[in-house]
């Protein structure tokens, strides 16, 4: 069975600081990887995704993530956060053929102005 | 493009009562998911439909939960009877045929007292 582990439960940063959220997955096959974001009071939205190709993917709002197959990792990064990045971030994985989307527990990011 | 619609947004019921949630996916999306998100945790997949057939319901507590997707469009999720531990946000998501990306609705927040 597939599983996703997110390293941090709650991260607190100041504006302009850099952000990196860890994500490791367990799956016995080819995967598709995602980061979703949930802003306060809003629904889950896709931040970025990796299916194949360049392991460094760029998403919306300046976020990027790097797929490292040997480490089963898909860490999310942003070089300079803004107050509006305060949200909950979820890493998710599907098998490339089954589309069963499994989520990590999420990381709450609080950015202080 | 209209998003995934869910209703109601909020529901409070007493334990042992029954409750139903409704989801209208994005038009043309073949895949429909129901997730349960308990406070502080990531979404947990309850059931996945492909058109009107069940693809995965391995984590659905079938003694009390049921779901259907008549005509491969709208879906309802029912809990009967509800327990205190069912208090959670119930998320519906949909995805296009062969696409791994899922689009989420706002969710229904259920409180069982």
């Amino acid at each position: 069975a597939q599983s996703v582990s997110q390293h941090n439960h709650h991260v607190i940063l100041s504006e302009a600081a850099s952000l990196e959220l860890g994500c490791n997955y367990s799956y016995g096959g080819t995967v598709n990887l995602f980061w979703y974001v949930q802003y306060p009071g809003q629904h889950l939205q896709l931040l970025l995704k990796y299916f194949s190709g360049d392991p460094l993917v760029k998403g919306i709002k300046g976020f990027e993530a790097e797929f490292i197959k040997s480490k089963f990792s898909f860490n999310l990064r942003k070089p300079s956060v803004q107050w509006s990045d305060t949200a909950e971030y979820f890493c998710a994985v599907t098998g490339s053929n089954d589309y069963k989307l499994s989520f990590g527990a999420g990381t709450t990011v609080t950015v202080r102005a | 493009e209209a998003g995934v619609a869910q209703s109601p947004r909020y529901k409070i019921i007493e334990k042992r009562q029954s409750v139903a949630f409704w989801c209208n996916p994005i038009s043309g999306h073949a895949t429909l998911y129901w997730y349960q998100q308990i406070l502080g945790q990531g979404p947990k997949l309850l059931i996945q439909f492909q058109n009107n057939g069940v693809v995965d319901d391995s984590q659905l507590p079938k003694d009390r939960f049921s779901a259907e997707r008549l005509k491969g469009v709208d879906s309802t999720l029912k809990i009967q009877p509800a327990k205190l531990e069912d208090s959670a946000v119930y998320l519906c998501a949909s995805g296009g045929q062969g696409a791994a990306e899922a689009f989420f609705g706002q969710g229904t927040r259920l409180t069982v007292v």
Side-chain angles (χ1 to χ4, degrees), chain A residues 68-109:
Chain A
I68 302 179
K69 188 175 181 180
S70 61
K71 295 184 178 180
F72 299 91
S73 69
F74 190 56
N75 292 352
L76 181 71
R77 297 193 291 253
K78 185 170 183 178
S80 177
V81 295
Q82 301 173 315
W83 176 80
S84 58
D85 293 323
T86 294
E88 192 155 16
Y89 293 80
F90 294 94
C91 183
V93 62
T94 73
S96 58
N97 295 317
D98 63 26
Y99 305 139
K100 177 182 172 182
L101 189 61
S102 296
F103 284 84
T107 298
T108 301
V109 173

